[in-house]
Amino acid sequence: MIMRKCFKVSLMAASLVFMASGAQAGGIASHKAFYEMSLDDREQKSNIVNILGRSAVTVERDCEGWISVEDYVIEFVSENGGSERILSHFESWEAKSGDKFSFDVNEESTFEGRKDYGGFASLEPDAQAVFSNGAGQSLDLPKDVYFPMRHMEAVLSAADQGKPILAATVFFGGDYDDALMKTNTVVGNWQEQSSDFDFGDLSANGYWPVQIAYFKQSATNGEPEYEISFRVQPNGVVRQYVIDYGDFSIAAELTRIDGVDDPVC
């Protein structure tokens, strides 16, 4: 059960990196970022004692929007000495206009085998998502729904204007049951601090600390399913993030970032 939850949150983390990287599409270069993942903190009741992982995230502009790809592997070590592993390929495309979004996910895990998810969502003429796997389920979307990059654009806009709170419903894709989530975002004060290593043209002299809480659509209490905290530069680069599951958390640190050439449109 806990591993299944971990995979679902990992998809949210992938979307986080994608949406942050594409947030200010007119002012950011396409790039490929590499993250190292590790156990951040754990409560005594948690049976997870160590976490090892890596991810490679590519954010590439095309003439109509953004293509985002993440490949990652995460290994969870339990207190009895056993371990479980998840390998995932997550790919999405979002229109520059923010009204169309598609996704494909291929997952391989030691505890559930192979699973594939895919689908397409559009806000016009009716706000709806269609899932291509299984029975081809569809999901009606609220008119004010955000797709990931448009949501992060709103987060950075709020940060730039000094607005500390943003509530939004976001469609991330992935598993049908968790594709649409309510979110509450808290944006902290600007922190003037250079990164630990040179990002080249993507460097900035500071970041905003941001925390996003994720809730199921049916949630009736104030406890989120999970939370993701991250440090984001004005150009959308995420320096690091932490995924909080409640009884343990995963930290991801940016270790390398490379530029990617844009197309000639």
Side-chain angles (χ1 to χ4, degrees):
M1 178 65 179
I2 186 65
M3 293 305 166
R4 183 70 225 148
K5 181 180 178 182
C6 290
F7 170 65
K8 292 175 180 178
V9 180
S10 295
L11 289 182
M12 299 304 103
S15 296
L16 160 69
V17 177
F18 297 160
M19 69 192 185
S21 299
Q24 297 178 332
I28 187 172
S30 303
H31 67 270
K32 187 170 186 177
F34 299 84
Y35 293 85
E36 291 282 345
M37 297 177 174
S38 60
L39 180 65
D40 180 61
D41 196 10
R42 64 183 292 268
E43 295 184 359
Q44 189 172 3
K45 65 180 180 180
S46 174
N47 67 339
I48 303 296
V49 297
N50 198 17
I51 292 171
L52 302 170
R54 291 182 178 180
S55 69
V57 180
T58 302
V59 181
E60 184 175 357
R61 189 199 308 262
D62 72 10
C63 295
E64 300 298 328
W66 287 88
I67 300 169
S68 303
V69 181
E70 182 188 43
D71 292 287
Y72 72 78
V73 56
I74 305 177
E75 184 174 6
F76 301 87
V77 181
S78 60
E79 58 187 358
N80 64 7
S83 65
E84 301 284 0
R85 178 175 292 189
I86 302 170
L87 295 92
S88 180
H89 174 82
F90 183 103
E91 184 168 349
S92 69
W93 176 85
E94 184 171 333
K96 287 188 293 186
S97 57
D99 62 346
K100 297 180 181 65
F101 179 74
S102 64
F103 64 94
D104 285 288
V105 185
N106 310 115
E107 172 213 350
E108 189 80 31
S109 69
T110 55
F111 50 93
E112 285 194 340
R114 183 178 176 87
K115 288 185 175 291
D116 299 308
Y117 306 93
F120 177 80
S122 179
L123 302 185
E124 298 293 342
D126 298 313
Q128 188 179 65
V130 177
F131 295 77
S132 58
N133 53 301
Q137 296 168 295
S138 63
L139 178 66
D140 291 332
L141 304 175
K143 283 292 186 180
D144 60 350
V145 70
Y146 288 81
F147 296 133
M149 288 186 179
R150 182 168 168 261
H151 177 234
M152 184 52 66
E153 184 177 28
V155 170
L156 287 184
S157 177
D160 189 51
Q161 298 175 42
K163 298 179 179 178
I165 303 294
L166 176 68
T169 300
V170 185
F171 181 83
F172 294 99
D175 186 2
Y176 177 87
D177 293 333
D178 296 282
L180 186 67
M181 303 289 288
K182 296 177 183 177
T183 67
N184 283 337
T185 300
V186 177
V187 181
N189 294 327
W190 171 257
Q191 304 294 309
E192 190 164 329
Q193 179 182 331
S194 299
S195 60
D196 293 337
F197 64 94
D198 186 10
F199 293 173
D201 292 340
L202 294 171
S203 296
N205 66 348
Y207 63 87
W208 285 292
V210 178
Q211 184 175 15
I212 304 179
Y214 297 83
F215 303 83
K216 286 183 176 292
Q217 286 293 101
S218 58
T220 57
N221 59 39
E223 289 295 321
E225 292 292 302
Y226 40 82
E227 295 179 297
I228 301 179
S229 302
F230 56 98
R231 297 178 177 180
V232 60
Q233 298 181 170
N235 61 4
V237 171
V238 173
R239 292 185 180 182
Q240 65 179 57
Y241 61 90
V242 174
I243 315 167
D244 187 354
Y245 295 84
D247 56 348
F248 71 95
S249 56
I250 298 175
E253 294 282 346
L254 181 63
T255 60
R256 187 178 124 203
I257 189 164
D258 298 332
V260 176
D261 293 335
D262 288 333
V264 178
C265 299

